[in-house]
Amino acid sequence: MQEKPNVIIILADDIGYGDLGCNGEQTIRTPHVDRLAHTGLRFTDAHAVAATSTPSRYSLLTDQYAWRRNDTSIATGDAGMIIRPGQATLATLFKEHGYTTGAVGKWHLGLGDTAGSQDWNGWITPGPSAIGFDYSYIMAATGDRVPCVYVENQRVVNLDPADPIAVSYTTPFPGEPLGKDHPELPTVLKPSPDHGHADAIVNGVSRIGYMKGGKQALWQDENIADSITTKAVQFIEQHAGSPFFLYFATNDIHVPRVPHLRFKGATTMGARGDAIIEFDWSIGQIVETLERLGIAGNTLIIVTSDNGPVVDDGYADQAVELLGAHRPWGDFRGGKYSIFEAGTRVPFIVTWPEKIKAGVSDALFSQIDLYASLACLLNTQPATGAAPDSRNHLPALLGNDRKGRDYVIEQATGLSVSDGEWKYIAPNHGAAYNSLTNTELGNSPVD
Ligand code: NG6
Ligand code: CA
């Protein structure tokens, strides 16, 4: 009988607190996530560290606040690896304790030594293996940034050597049409006015950045959830006999939202709503796999999100027009990019059937504490210098402490600190409002 639990972190992209049925929204049905919420512990006051992906993921994996560095803002698709080789991460923690470790899905933490230096046609290094992951199957950045290919164990999947890939974020490739010059060519999704997303056109969708070649390796947008879920399921199947740690970062529900046809019309909210249902399906596949293999009872699953919700994030997918009564941000103000509460207050559900009792926890919790808390679960402490900002809140994570942290620090353009009742937002000169996404950002230059 395996004593150590398997650990799976399922990190959604841009799913807001209110986007899940279990958080009180009557406008959407997410049965697989809701089942986890009802059999496990559902947090009402848990936070991502930042209101956008790269700093949030950096902080979650290293458990060092991203704002301690000045190079952790939203990464391009050719960014160098932001977490440096040898830096402690959740993956190194688990690996040191005998786990097999895997990263599947959205990466958005850079690859290679420096920006633009990656060999997309060879071995891309450093990559996830340099920070503790035994296995990786990732999208380099986001769905809306080139290169639009999967990278498995640091090599582009399905690459035809006769059609090498080139990527640039500075210089277009002659002969490759761009969305900004050919607005008629993106036939699957058009960018929203003024949002950008008007560079390389891949699969009828114009993206950010320039790309050439690699035609055979291109992902199909409607198959991304299927592809990465299949890889996550295979990883679980292959390692079911000994402890594993899986970081499963979904592409749903980031833009461009192109859910598989079988989810079309699953909601009345168009692609954004349907992508939430696709996300929920992915969760169902993971849970069903664990149950089929008889390891569900001793697997700790965390379902959470990298930042708060956004409705129009750059493509004319009718998310605004079809939103109806749905409130992705729940009762909170702001959203993705915002220092107000909805920027980082995210869904957070923890299940471990053999150890965690069903319930709802109002404990103040931050993703920054995962390292120290999970280290405690492994009967160890962070090594000197590892996860410097992480504190052990394992009792809160397991439902034995309903208070949690004294405060959380949140990051958007600037910083805020909240004790769960009051919140201080440090004055800063960032814009007060993002008119593209229609988000109150919470920035103000005065106290
Ligand atoms: C923004 C993009 C947005 C999204 C975001 C990253 C524009 C105007 N907007 O810059 O579409 O890609 O970056 O999202 O380009 S995140 O969830 O990965 O942080
Ligand atoms: Ca995100």
Side-chain angles (χ1 to χ4, degrees), residues 333-340 431-434 438-443:
R333 196 169 166 185
K336 179 176 180 179
Y337 309 112
S338 174
I339 198 67
F340 283 137
Y433 194 75
N434 182 335
N438 207 6
T439 312
E440 277 187 298
L441 296 177
N443 300 317

Side-chain angles (χ1 to χ4, degrees), residues 14 53 106 108 142 144-145 195 197 254 313 336-337:
D14 298 354
S53 155
K106 172 175 172 174
H108 210 192
T142 60
D144 56 345
R145 285 172 176 75
H195 272 257
H197 294 113
H254 199 275
D313 205 18
K336 179 176 180 179
Y337 309 112

